[in-house]
Amino acid sequence: MKKVVFIIPYFGQFNNYFQLFLNSCERNQKYTWIIFTDDKRDFQYPNNVLVNYMEMKELKSIIERKLGFEISLDRGYKLCDYKPAYGYIFEDYIKDYDFWGHCDTDLIFGNLSKYIENIDIDKYDKVFFLGHCTLYKNNIENNRRFMLELHGKNRYEEVFKSKEICAFDEQYKGSINDIYDIYNFPTLNKEYEANIYTKSAYFKLTNYDFSKMKYIINKKENAFFVWDNGEIYRYIYKNGQIIKNEYMYIHLQLRKMQIKLNNLNIERYKIIPNQFEEIEFEEINKDNFSKIKKNKFNLQYFKVRFHGLLKRINRVFYK
């Protein structure tokens, strides 16, 4: 078993279900998380989540000393562009690990070992390709590959000096994925997550289609998710049968979730749009499936469109 650490710099208040995120980390004791944050609220941090308190301006100074030039880091969301450089920026914190990774906090993890330990991970320098969860082999050469030229330019300098969000951590538009592809470094581009489409009131899954180089939005299903003792399942009723699919994690990007749980340390709960709540039945079967609430009225589409408008305004303001 390789030692794996996830690095999370986060500034501002964590989302309202951050404790549920931490609880899902706790169930993955073979893995470590290191968090850098200015949110000093009293969370129940498990023993495999290490917290370092600092201000964002302090991190900005650390990055500038490492890189040797002035960077743009005025907003917390801009940190997404720095994710591929975390192995270099935080190298003093990760010396004892074989792989390091970055992940978001709008996730609920399932059983990571079921997926990562089934990969011949030593074959790859980078595992996965999405900004919300990617792993890198931890060595000096690999941790500096974000600095490699892309199309004859020092892309990372352009990104780190820009006030705009450049999606350097994902996609294929001048990102770290392009660098690994162009230089033919060994990568594994697999999806084991339930990546929830942002612009729908319902939980529709999205997957990246490499043949078309774009995300594909799957149709709405008669389904719901359950976090069950450290594992993530999706139950679907189709053709008179219940189908149970397991995922490495669920990604709840841009969703304001309500928590309808009396106890945040509960070992089993349901995840529906846009809510965490206790599940109605101990056993899920064909007889009670229709009685389980699978959706809740929400204004997700309008909220995301408004969020997109604010981002466009910010881009104009920060130019």
Side-chain angles (χ1 to χ4, degrees), residues 17-203:
Y17 57 93
F18 181 61
Q19 187 61 57
L20 296 179
F21 165 80
L22 292 176
N23 295 350
S24 73
C25 295
E26 184 176 23
R27 291 304 185 104
N28 288 282
Q29 283 291 314
K30 293 180 179 179
Y31 302 85
T32 302
W33 282 260
I34 302 177
I35 296 178
F36 301 87
T37 186
D38 58 356
D39 189 344
K40 297 183 179 180
R41 287 179 295 163
D42 188 20
F43 295 104
Q44 296 177 26
Y45 284 101
N47 64 343
N48 59 333
V49 179
L50 312 176
V51 188
N52 296 271
Y53 293 109
M54 66 168 60
E55 301 294 326
M56 191 164 66
K57 62 181 180 182
E58 183 180 350
L59 177 58
K60 183 174 184 289
S61 296
I62 291 171
I63 297 173
E64 288 176 338
R65 287 197 299 271
K66 292 283 291 187
L67 295 176
F69 59 83
E70 187 175 347
I71 66 168
S72 176
L73 187 56
D74 299 322
R75 296 169 286 167
Y77 194 63
K78 177 65 178 174
L79 281 166
C80 292
D81 283 335
Y82 293 92
K83 287 178 178 178
Y86 286 173
Y88 175 63
I89 295 167
F90 300 105
E91 60 185 349
D92 289 340
Y93 292 86
I94 61 172
K95 292 177 180 178
D96 296 330
Y97 297 91
D98 302 299
F99 280 78
W100 66 269
H102 52 73
C103 71
D104 291 345
T105 58
D106 53 2
L107 316 177
I108 303 294
F109 284 108
N111 189 332
L112 291 176
S113 292
K114 280 189 177 181
Y115 300 89
I116 296 176
E117 290 186 15
N118 285 329
I119 299 168
D120 189 359
I121 200 169
D122 272 335
K123 290 171 54 178
Y124 305 103
D125 291 344
K126 185 162 75 71
V127 177
F128 310 135
F129 64 100
L130 296 167
H132 44 80
C133 189
T134 296
L135 298 176
Y136 294 83
K137 186 172 289 182
N138 185 23
N139 60 49
I140 291 174
E141 180 184 4
N142 200 42
N143 293 348
R144 285 154 178 77
R145 284 180 172 162
F146 72 93
M147 299 180 183
L148 292 175
E149 284 191 355
L150 185 61
H151 306 307
K153 296 181 180 179
N154 288 330
R155 175 59 176 161
Y156 82 101
E157 287 194 31
E158 292 180 341
V159 170
F160 294 171
K161 290 177 180 179
S162 172
K163 291 184 179 293
E164 294 189 12
I165 310 300
C166 303
F168 190 55
D169 58 328
E170 59 180 5
Q171 299 187 26
Y172 287 84
K173 299 176 181 178
S175 77
I176 191 67
N177 291 333
D178 294 297
I179 290 175
Y180 274 76
D181 277 2
I182 288 172
Y183 287 91
N184 200 30
F185 297 134
T187 62
L188 178 67
N189 294 333
K190 290 281 190 179
E191 291 186 83
Y192 299 118
E193 81 288 346
N195 196 24
I196 306 299
Y197 179 54
T198 59
K199 298 177 183 177
S200 173
Y202 304 103
F203 275 180

Side-chain angles (χ1 to χ4, degrees), residues 237 242 281 283-292:
Y237 190 78
I242 294 177
F281 301 98
E283 180 183 351
I284 300 167
N285 54 48
K286 292 189 289 185
D287 295 329
N288 61 30
F289 193 91
S290 63
K291 300 175 185 178
I292 297 173

Side-chain angles (χ1 to χ4, degrees), residues 225-249:
F225 288 88
V226 173
W227 187 79
D228 189 347
N229 288 284
E231 298 177 334
I232 288 282
Y233 296 104
R234 188 188 191 208
Y235 291 86
I236 307 170
Y237 190 78
K238 185 181 291 186
N239 299 324
Q241 299 293 324
I242 294 177
I243 302 169
K244 181 181 177 183
N245 295 324
E246 187 173 0
Y247 295 90
M248 192 169 86
Y249 61 88

